[in-house]
Amino acid sequence: MKTKIYIIALVSMIIAALNLSAASKNQITCTGSTTVLPIAQAAAESYMDNHPEINISVRGGGSGVGVAALQNGTTDICNSSRPMKSKEISVAKAKGINPVAYAIANDAISIIVHTNNPIKDITIQQIKDIYTGKIKNWKALGGPNLPIVAVSRDVSSGTFEVFNEKVLAGAKVEGSAQLLASNNAVLSAVSNTPGAIGYVGLGYVNETVKLLSVNRVIPAVASVKNNSYPLARKLYMYTNGNAKGEVEKLIGFIQSEKGQKIVEEQGFINIK
Amino acid sequence: MTRKKLMLNLICLGLLFVPMAMNGLETKLSGEFWGRWLAEIAKRKNATGNYENKLVNNYLSLERGYLGLETKFTEQVKGRFTVDIYTTDKTYEYQSYSLEDSTLTASTKSGSIDGAGLKIKYAYVDFGGFIPVKDMTLTAGMQKVYFGSIYDWSYTLIGKAPSDEHKVANSADLGLTLNGYLPSGYGEYAVGIYNGEGYKKVGANLKDNTDFAYLGNLRVTPITGLTVGGSYMYNTVGREKDLNGEANNSAYEKQQLMDAYTRLAYGPVDLNCEYIVKNVDFPNITDSNKTKKYTATGISIFPCINLKEYLPYDLQIVGCYDLWDESDRLVSDKARNKLAASTIGVNYNFMPDETDTPSMQLQLNYTDKRYDEDKSHSDYANGKQDSSQINLQLKWKFANTL
């Protein structure tokens, strides 16, 4: 008898929960990639200017953090600087979360060095050799007799994962490399260290560092769009299922002409 | 604590620092601790020999303390080491053998542990890219057993996964597995070879079972929120022949373990269902009726309703109906237990981290166990009586990159 009561109680709870209607949301949360962060922040501010009833909260943490938040149902939008992996999609789908990707910008992982460094170009193989510890001095690349300080992103970063795939091909970053948690931290470390080399999203490159061409290709609108720049990539926003309501409007805004202007203002390349 | 135990514990703690010494790309330190209060009322004999309800358990314990190191040697190669520290657990198991009338008989016994205990739960390395199949990993060492729901049981309910609770499969074992994910998030799979002994047994008896256990597991998520799958494991218990001769061991078991699994996640509802079959054969017992051979079955229905979306607090209502039928198993011509357990509970999640994932969880569970047991059978006197249990548990966890 008691068992029957338990079963009836459990079934009732399930039915009650299914009938709970989702409240209309004026709060949107975006979590994830620090590369996408400036785009998301600028777009959110612009969107909120025209929609004062909407409150958009934007947080960083890295693409991995954003993916975890999407899987846990704790964010409306996951910002990611890489495509989600099969494992991540599988875990999400089993939890009833259906990740749908929206490309919002083109980007280039940009190789940067200190402004005093005379090197102008570098090859993918040379970058790999630096980060795996085979090349330790700029002299080996025709530069000054100066030890190389490799600055990398931490491994939960989407930028690191794309860099790992396209440059390192799975090889291990040497133990003495600095692993930093954000694009800004990499930028700051490289601008303050004469022998440093690092990599950041194109939008982060400024006059405090020197941008190198890779395999003699400079990251620019044309070379990124036609994929001739070897470290070109897309930036994404992921939602659970097709975006709806205000989330759909926000992403639509970022993909619109006005939104893509914001993308360009932040130093990234539009998807048009 | 004996000197041997102390040495073992020191070695285990020392191993914690091995991944750091190997200069990994990134090393993560994580911990998870479960403090529990348990109160249980069950039927016991009174002075007149009749059964009546008595308080049989009422204690506080550190039920689990997982301390782990995870290191990435490269993006493709990762190691994990986890120890389980606890203050109450009698699951220090070993097998004792006796040789009578040329028949080697094995029996599983458990020993008590004074003070805190320590077990190695996981110590394995993942080799991604070892085999050129996308998203496939070769895992070697003391690792998860990919059977049923035991390997991804998240303890949303205080109780164990059904296959763990009914001792169908071990949650961890030494082995070699190929595991991975289907393209586009359509599911996951695993095949593997294990010792078949689990991670709790100690001593020389570990070597006595010379057969490996073989496992296959597949889960498919054809549409978002619906997962179906199943697993199969072939295992043996004990060794077939006496080490010192050709005498058959009558306790030698061949086990076929099967599991069907379904998960339905939709909105706030997450419903898990599992059906387990355990076929046990004793090939060395030659009586014509094969009386010891048996099949046990279990069904478990486990719903969880997440109310975070609708309440100012992150609350979950959980429940479980679990039926374990071992009545096909005959001991001295008497049927053994059939257990129906019903649980209802609530979880309060708090202290969210940067991904809004809670670092702490307060769980309250009420469980009612009903045994369909022959009162004259010795098992009844040994604890297989109807009981009610309240568990209150605080779990907290952390993870930091070193």
Side-chain angles (χ1 to χ4, degrees), chain A residues 23-36:
Chain A
S24 63
K25 292 181 71 173
N26 288 333
Q27 170 80 34
I28 299 173
T29 53
C30 296
T31 309
S33 165
T34 62
T35 306
V36 182

Side-chain angles (χ1 to χ4, degrees), chain B residues 135-154:
Chain B
D135 297 315
M136 181 186 274
T137 300
L138 172 73
T139 304
M142 181 74 87
Q143 59 180 296
K144 295 176 178 182
V145 174
Y146 291 89
F147 181 83
S149 60
I150 201 166
Y151 68 96
D152 63 350
W153 187 254
S154 59

Side-chain angles (χ1 to χ4, degrees), chain B residues 97-255:
Chain B
Y97 289 88
S98 61
L99 189 63
E100 292 172 8
D101 302 329
S102 301
T103 302
L104 194 67
T105 305
S107 57
T108 302
K109 295 184 177 179
S110 62
S112 63
I113 294 170
D114 298 327
L118 188 79
K119 284 183 283 208
I120 298 174
K121 177 79 180 187
Y122 301 121
Y124 62 79
V125 181
D126 283 336
F127 296 94
F130 184 79
I131 292 168
V133 176
K134 199 167 184 273
D135 297 315
M136 181 186 274
T137 300
L138 172 73
T139 304
M142 181 74 87
Q143 59 180 296
K144 295 176 178 182
V145 174
Y146 291 89
F147 181 83
S149 60
I150 201 166
Y151 68 96
D152 63 350
W153 187 254
S154 59
Y155 289 91
T156 309
L157 209 69
I158 290 177
K160 295 174 180 175
S163 44
D164 196 5
E165 178 71 27
H166 305 301
K167 298 194 183 303
V168 177
N170 297 295
S171 59
D173 200 356
L174 277 160
L176 200 63
T177 62
L178 283 171
N179 54 83
Y181 292 85
L182 302 174
S184 306
Y186 278 111
E188 58 185 288
Y189 61 88
V191 289
I193 299 173
Y194 294 93
N195 265 349
E197 300 275 349
Y199 72 104
K200 290 178 180 172
K201 287 177 184 169
V202 293
N205 291 299
L206 269 174
K207 299 170 187 165
D208 282 348
N209 185 347
T210 50
D211 298 339
F212 284 120
Y214 302 93
L215 174 128
N217 179 50
L218 176 68
R219 278 193 197 175
V220 179
T221 306
I223 55 171
T224 300
L226 175 66
T227 302
V228 292
S231 40
Y232 173 85
M233 194 169 184
Y234 174 80
N235 196 12
T236 59
V237 174
R239 51 177 294 119
E240 191 170 12
K241 302 277 186 189
D242 177 17
L243 268 176
N244 299 316
E246 284 304 302
N248 288 333
N249 173 14
S250 62
Y252 176 67
E253 291 181 25
K254 284 186 174 178
Q255 299 182 345

